[in-house]
Amino acid sequence: MFTTVRSVVRPRFRLQRALLAGFGLCLCLLLSAAAAADKPPSELPAPALIELTPMERDGHPEGNALLRLGFEQRELLPDSIELDVDTQRFVLKRDEREPLTFVGIIKLDFDRFADEIERREALIRESGERSAPLFEGREMLGEKEFQRLDPRELKLARLESLPLRIPRDVLLMPLSFVDPARELMITSTAVVNDPTRTFDICGNSGNPNGAWTFKTLMSNMANTPLTGVDPADFVERWLRSWQVNHTLNSFAVPARGNIGPLVLNSWPRINGKLDLNRSPFRLLAIVNRVDLRGNSVYGASSAGEGRFVFGVVNRNLNGGCSTTPFTVILEYGVPVRGCSAVRSYGQQWADLGGLVLGSAAYNAALQSITDQFTSANAAPNKPNGSAINQVRTNENALNPLWELREFVLQQGSPLLRIVSTQQTPHHTLNNGGLLANYITTNAAAIVADAHTVPPLWLGQPFLSGSNFNFSVANGAVWNAPGVANQPRHKFSLATCNACHGGEARDSSVPADLPFVHIGVRQAAATSALSRFLVGTGSLSAPSTFNKPDPINLAPVRQFGDLLRRQQDLANLTGMDCSSGGFLQDLRFEPLRMVH
């Protein structure tokens, strides 16, 4: 169990107050000066210390609170930090006496913060929960007992301008009010087989023009009024890219000609074009990835992604229909910016928890959410006006060797183009010196989940073209001679193939899904989910599973990503941007992983 931290800390404040009284004007002028951070916002680490001193009676024009942030890694810090508190921007400066500490005046809504603390106490009592799961990246470190920020101490701090230390655990919300099956990972057949919004070629059931059909989503992505590209041509050009060889970052991506017999040859046509009304893509899941958002406090606000997961069905020439090991994920960037807007968007997902899963009201509310990122022109400044970030595929239906591919829309072309899979070097570099050099050189960033795998390393091609999964065995991970194990693990887990293979698969359970986290399904069935997502629990009650390190057997790590996302959504929707939500986001660290 983690140690607890007292909520109120009074040492040093009398000196701070004297300094503010004597040098208030100079300090205010200094802190209000605009200064750009030397480091990109996404590289700023979470502070180890947050200390807030109410100054509501001092009358400072810049704000009503003195904020002190303490960090642990000086090399990752600029000389000043710009912070966004809802719609206002403030600047913190490095404390010359404590180089790892930054200080500045901000404005916080203390009345709302006090209300949030009271409401949090009531929710914890109602839930019966005693603790919250604490994650570092995708790994659960343990359970953190809920600690109280006594409303009386907050009131006293406001009256006497006393410093208030804000531990992480007084900002954690009870998670049981978030239902993953309704708010995070929607796989219910009452949704994915909705007769007005989906279509399934096996039985010709549903509405081919429904909002969640492959036809509608790809038609919106093609955006004919803007691009002039026929959606049928848009889809066919994308699928035919498997029929030719590609070279990406100097690495060969061999053709997979079976896309013809499996998909294109049996697809009905009208006047020579694919009949998108009879698409062979079955909806498996609609996924809320607001956990992939940016940090609104550091000015990199975003609402993460929304995803549609499809499975390719095989319309056999003899008239039968069967599933295939071929999944397609449409990954949209949610075009919502700003702390309040992002939290409002998260609340829309949370509100689904109050509706009956799959009911008319639920499905209509869900569509109102998904329309925000799937509609044509949802992102006018992106190619085709589409909010799509990338389309990723994972299959061994076209070749016995599992392969992941990634496609994007690029400026200058209205068509999906194959690109290198993110965060993953070419497989020939595994266990080699170039990889060892990269991991060792970037160990700190890798451990902090803050690295981005570059196309070149030491002048040599590094980032892969497509990405192969050779095995689900524990040893099918990334490794290199002489590297420390934790950077090795973190690097490997961030890659596409190891996260779908040996690094995150429960090899003790033969039935755990191989290479996919959301399984293909029969028309009337619900998709199975990997243990990386649900642990030893279920979609409605996710937990974790124990995964021994695949190289050394120790340490034993705990993974359960839906539990992490459940806690994240509870935190996101539990407090307001102008009060406790700002303090939460100070410690929010965006994920660099794409899965």
Side-chain angles (χ1 to χ4, degrees):
M1 196 66 65
F2 289 83
T3 57
T4 59
V5 183
R6 292 183 59 197
S7 296
V8 175
V9 180
R10 293 183 174 83
R12 287 200 319 269
F13 178 69
R14 303 298 179 188
L15 175 61
Q16 290 174 353
R17 191 170 187 182
L19 288 172
L20 283 171
F23 303 102
L25 178 61
C26 294
L27 180 61
C28 290
L29 291 174
L30 177 65
L31 295 178
S32 62
D38 300 325
K39 290 283 186 181
S42 59
E43 293 185 14
L44 291 174
L49 166 72
I50 300 176
E51 187 177 275
L52 190 67
T53 304
M55 300 170 57
E56 296 170 281
R57 299 192 301 173
D58 290 18
H60 286 282
E62 289 81 7
N64 63 353
L66 179 71
L67 177 67
R68 294 179 64 87
L69 301 181
F71 296 89
E72 296 177 341
Q73 296 175 294
R74 182 171 183 174
E75 68 275 10
L76 296 179
L77 301 174
D79 290 329
S80 63
I81 300 175
E82 292 186 354
L83 301 180
D84 291 332
V85 184
D86 205 5
T87 59
Q88 301 180 74
R89 177 160 292 186
F90 301 91
V91 179
L92 271 59
K93 290 286 187 178
R94 189 189 299 274
D95 188 329
E96 293 183 357
R97 296 167 302 170
E98 301 180 39
L100 293 178
T101 301
F102 290 73
V103 61
I105 295 177
I106 66 168
K107 186 175 182 179
L108 201 72
D109 190 332
F110 280 101
D111 289 335
R112 186 178 294 274
F113 186 41
D115 290 342
E116 289 172 346
I117 294 301
E118 294 279 8
R119 186 170 66 88
R120 175 179 179 269
E121 290 293 313
L123 289 174
I124 290 173
R125 288 193 299 271
E126 182 182 349
S127 71
E129 297 173 48
R130 299 177 59 88
S131 60
L134 185 62
F135 282 83
E136 179 183 278
R138 312 306 275 273
E139 180 185 354
M140 189 174 115
L141 301 181
E143 292 280 336
K144 185 77 167 179
E145 286 190 4
F146 288 124
Q147 297 298 304
R148 299 184 68 232
L149 183 58
D150 194 323
R152 294 171 299 179
E153 293 181 335
L154 176 58
K155 183 177 180 180
L156 181 63
R158 296 178 68 181
L159 288 173
E160 299 188 12
S161 293
L162 297 175
L164 197 66
R165 184 167 292 184
I166 311 294
R168 176 174 180 166
D169 47 338
V170 303
L171 300 172
L172 297 173
M173 301 296 292
L175 58 73
S176 60
F177 296 100
V178 173
D179 181 357
R182 288 184 285 178
E183 303 168 44
L184 294 171
M185 176 77 67
I186 296 93
T187 62
S188 166
T189 54
V191 178
V192 296
N193 287 344
D194 181 331
T196 65
R197 294 178 174 86
T198 71
F199 176 77
D200 198 306
I201 189 65
C202 301
N204 291 317
S205 59
N207 174 15
N209 296 304
W212 299 333
T213 63
F214 192 77
K215 172 191 176 180
T216 295
L217 296 176
M218 297 303 277
S219 296
N220 290 344
M221 200 184 302
N223 200 358
T224 302
L226 180 67
T227 66
V229 176
D230 185 293
D233 294 333
F234 181 83
V235 172
E236 182 155 10
R237 293 281 294 275
W238 167 61
L239 292 172
R240 289 201 179 279
S241 69
W242 269 273
Q243 294 181 320
V244 297
N245 296 321
H246 301 274
T247 300
L248 298 174
N249 199 33
S250 83
F251 296 115
V253 179
R256 292 197 156 201
N258 283 334
I259 194 75
L262 179 66
V263 179
L264 288 168
N265 295 354
S266 58
W267 194 324
R269 293 176 180 268
I270 299 177
N271 297 325
K273 293 181 180 291
L274 296 177
D275 180 4
L276 296 186
N277 285 337
R278 303 176 70 182
S279 160
F281 292 84
R282 173 180 290 152
L283 182 60
L284 308 180
I286 300 173
V287 187
N288 171 13
R289 294 306 308 271
V290 71
D291 64 296
L292 295 178
R293 67 190 178 278
N295 188 313
S296 65
V297 168
Y298 292 135
S301 175
S302 72
E305 290 187 345
R307 297 181 172 181
F308 281 76
V309 185
F310 289 90
V312 177
V313 296
N314 182 9
R315 295 170 302 172
N316 304 317
L317 295 179
N318 62 6
C321 192
S322 58
T323 62
T324 68
F326 192 155
T327 61
V328 178
I329 312 178
L330 310 185
E331 302 177 347
Y332 297 87
V334 180
V336 173
R337 296 291 182 270
C339 181
S340 292
V342 170
R343 286 179 182 262
S344 176
Y345 170 78
Q347 187 62 50
Q348 293 173 48
W349 285 98
D351 289 344
L352 295 175
L355 301 173
V356 176
L357 181 62
S359 66
Y362 178 94
N363 290 2
L366 178 58
Q367 184 186 335
S368 71
I369 296 173
T370 60
D371 282 350
Q372 296 174 62
F373 52 82
T374 64
S375 296
N377 300 308
N381 295 325
K382 294 177 70 172
N384 292 19
S386 172
I388 195 72
N389 280 348
Q390 57 273 328
V391 175
R392 290 192 294 143
T393 63
N394 189 11
E395 54 79 24
N396 76 333
L398 306 179
N399 183 298
L401 179 61
W402 283 84
E403 183 188 47
L404 295 102
R405 293 192 179 199
E406 186 167 330
F407 305 83
V408 301
L409 292 174
Q410 298 174 325
Q411 293 292 349
S413 172
L415 301 175
L416 284 168
R417 302 289 188 186
I418 187 171
V419 295
S420 294
T421 50
Q422 298 178 49
Q423 296 293 77
T424 311
H426 195 260
H427 64 270
T428 57
L429 301 175
N430 201 1
N431 295 300
L434 189 66
L435 178 62
N437 181 277
Y438 177 81
I439 294 177
T440 301
T441 303
N442 297 280
I446 291 171
V447 170
D449 297 311
H451 72 290
T452 299
V453 175
L456 303 177
W457 184 249
L458 299 182
Q460 300 182 53
F462 195 60
L463 190 65
S464 184
S466 63
N467 192 228
F468 294 107
N469 278 328
F470 293 94
S471 170
V472 293
N474 273 343
V477 296
W478 290 87
N479 197 8
V483 300
N485 192 51
Q486 186 65 359
R488 180 217 66 77
H489 158 70
K490 287 280 190 134
F491 175 85
S492 184
L493 183 63
T495 65
C496 294
N497 49 6
C499 180
H500 283 264
E503 205 70 62
R505 186 176 184 272
D506 189 351
S507 55
S508 68
V509 179
D512 194 16
L513 295 176
F515 301 125
V516 294
H517 292 306
I518 300 174
V520 297
R521 67 182 182 91
Q522 299 292 338
T526 301
S527 290
L529 302 177
S530 71
R531 285 209 163 187
F532 178 75
L533 289 176
V534 300
T536 57
S538 64
L539 173 55
S540 295
S543 63
T544 62
F545 80 97
N546 293 329
K547 173 68 177 180
D549 184 89
I551 298 298
N552 300 308
L553 299 183
V556 176
R557 302 181 178 91
Q558 287 185 288
F559 295 119
D561 213 56
L562 276 177
L563 182 66
R564 179 189 64 80
R565 300 180 203 177
Q566 185 180 13
Q567 182 67 64
D568 177 77
L569 186 60
N571 292 344
L572 176 68
T573 57
M575 294 186 177
D576 188 80
C577 294
S578 63
S579 49
F582 164 74
L583 299 172
Q584 284 178 334
D585 278 4
L586 281 171
R587 286 201 168 103
F588 177 75
E589 296 185 271
L591 286 174
R592 289 290 185 91
M593 302 179 190
V594 297
H595 36 263

